[in-house]
Amino acid sequence: MEKTLTLKEYVKKNDKEIAGLIVKMADIAERISQELPYRRGKADTKNVFGETQLVADKWTDKFIIGEFRKSRLVKTMKSEEQGEIVKLNDNGIFNITLDPLDGSSNMKSNNLVGTIFGIYKKDLPTQGKNQIGAAYILYGPVMSLVYATKNSVNKFFYTKKGFILKQKNIKLPEPGILYGIGGLRKDWLPKFRKYIEGLEAKGYKLRYGGSFVGDFNQVLHYGGIFAYPALINKPNGKLRLSAESNPMSYIIKQAGGASTNGAGSILDIEPESINQRIPTYVGNKGLIKNLEKIL
Ligand code: P6P
């Protein structure tokens, strides 16, 4: 029986270039999971998107930026909770995008929340296709860390001995069985609504949990489509290009899937602003290609 590899053993063997970053993310995850039970309630501030911040949003943001500053690996970070790009180390190698606590509206009910990272060498802001890696942490039911590089998508579970490899080279199952769509159905564009009704007629099952990281994770494991689409009243949808859509589009591509903003791959989008929102559709390649034909 193959020896169970620790995250550190696996990443140092297979993705040496970003090993230091991924190991640091694992350390960060351990501490955040210990703090989340205590960092509760609303802060008295709003983020650059006008969203009321939670105590946990602010603490995780400050903690993660501080940890990467200490690591000296990172040159700049662009966090969803920060309006501007933050300078960390002039001699840092990597530039990181960050959603420190994605789905934090789920905190009150203790539903899924997570952290999303995009990894670049190029200066930010830049196209998502310039990522050299991406990762997300899910803080439950079993804490997991998924990271992708050009080589593969790999999943690790947290145990009393630290993170261990659970699945390597993850590929989206075909043809997929799930769909998860944000926004109100009455606000979906008519063409999109018809597309979804077509999937429902084929027996696709609704799975929507209110956090991109959690809903994405389901599509990665079961196949299907997740979307926070363009809405009648919000033509750019809700998800942030740099902190949310680009990293997840990178991961789904490495898993054999695809992304689109309705016109083409999200990874090809030239950012117009560092806080840009983008209609986001990710999932099995066939589903995404059919959707683009309809939109
Ligand atoms: P709604 C979380 O705040 C988030 O940005 C994504 O993680 C999630 O997909 C979406 O918002 C949920 O939005 O409108 O369903 O609350």
Side-chain angles (χ1 to χ4, degrees), residues 21-295:
L21 277 181
I22 301 297
V23 169
K24 171 55 72 180
M25 288 173 191
D27 295 344
I28 285 169
E30 186 172 5
R31 176 70 189 284
I32 291 175
S33 68
Q34 293 159 355
E35 291 289 332
L36 285 181
Y38 307 100
R39 308 281 177 174
R40 314 304 289 188
K42 288 182 180 171
D44 53 1
T45 50
K46 291 184 185 299
N47 64 18
V48 66
F49 301 97
E51 297 161 337
T52 300
Q53 291 175 303
L54 301 185
V55 168
D57 287 320
K58 295 182 76 172
W59 182 85
T60 47
D61 181 56
K62 186 167 182 281
F63 173 67
I64 294 170
I65 291 173
E67 286 301 296
F68 277 119
R69 178 175 276 116
K70 282 189 282 185
S71 78
R72 311 196 70 71
L73 292 168
V74 177
K75 187 176 171 188
T76 68
M77 287 189 88
K78 173 61 183 78
S79 167
E80 182 176 299
E81 300 301 333
Q82 302 280 336
E84 301 301 326
I85 292 172
V86 176
K87 286 190 183 320
L88 274 67
N89 294 292
D90 289 342
N91 302 323
I93 306 163
F94 303 102
N95 297 293
I96 307 281
T97 61
L98 172 67
D99 185 350
L101 201 62
D102 180 63
S104 55
S105 55
N106 280 350
M107 284 286 285
K108 185 175 175 182
S109 55
N110 193 36
N111 282 75
L112 267 187
V113 294
T115 301
I116 305 173
F117 300 95
I119 304 170
Y120 299 79
K121 284 188 147 177
K122 284 197 169 194
D123 286 349
L124 300 174
T126 185
Q127 289 168 297
K129 67 183 175 186
N130 293 321
Q131 290 173 104
I132 61 166
Y136 64 87
I137 300 157
L138 275 178
Y139 298 105
V142 173
M143 183 157 68
S144 61
L145 186 150
V146 172
Y147 84 81
T149 61
K150 66 183 183 318
N151 302 325
S152 63
V153 182
N154 309 292
K155 176 174 79 173
F156 304 82
F157 276 176
Y158 182 71
T159 71
K160 56 182 181 298
K161 295 181 188 144
F163 279 94
I164 60 169
L165 179 65
K166 286 311 280 185
Q167 199 176 350
K168 60 186 177 184
N169 199 23
I170 297 175
K171 294 296 178 191
L172 270 175
E174 289 292 346
I177 57 173
L178 303 181
Y179 73 98
I181 315 294
L184 300 178
R185 189 177 279 250
K186 70 175 181 61
D187 294 334
W188 297 352
L189 301 180
K191 284 180 183 175
F192 178 68
R193 184 166 169 169
K194 193 166 178 312
Y195 171 80
I196 294 302
E197 285 163 358
L199 295 187
E200 289 170 328
K202 288 177 188 167
Y204 279 75
K205 291 194 283 187
L206 171 61
R207 289 287 184 277
Y208 188 77
S211 75
F212 182 23
V213 64
D215 292 329
F216 175 91
N217 188 60
Q218 288 189 107
V219 168
L220 182 68
H221 285 80
Y222 298 106
I225 183 169
F226 171 85
Y228 209 104
L231 301 174
I232 293 167
N233 54 346
K234 290 181 188 167
N236 291 321
K238 178 178 182 183
L239 299 184
R240 278 56 54 146
L241 174 63
S242 70
E244 296 169 305
S245 302
N246 266 333
M248 300 313 226
S249 295
Y250 180 89
I251 295 172
I252 202 98
K253 180 171 185 286
Q254 300 312 104
S259 68
T260 186
N261 67 335
S265 170
I266 284 173
L267 297 173
D268 293 334
I269 291 170
E270 193 65 57
E272 288 158 14
S273 88
I274 53 173
N275 293 309
Q276 176 177 353
R277 295 179 194 266
I278 196 86
T280 299
Y281 312 81
V282 292
N284 290 70
K285 214 173 267 181
L287 293 175
I288 297 299
K289 293 304 165 209
N290 289 343
L291 175 61
E292 283 182 337
K293 284 182 198 141
I294 286 172
L295 291 181

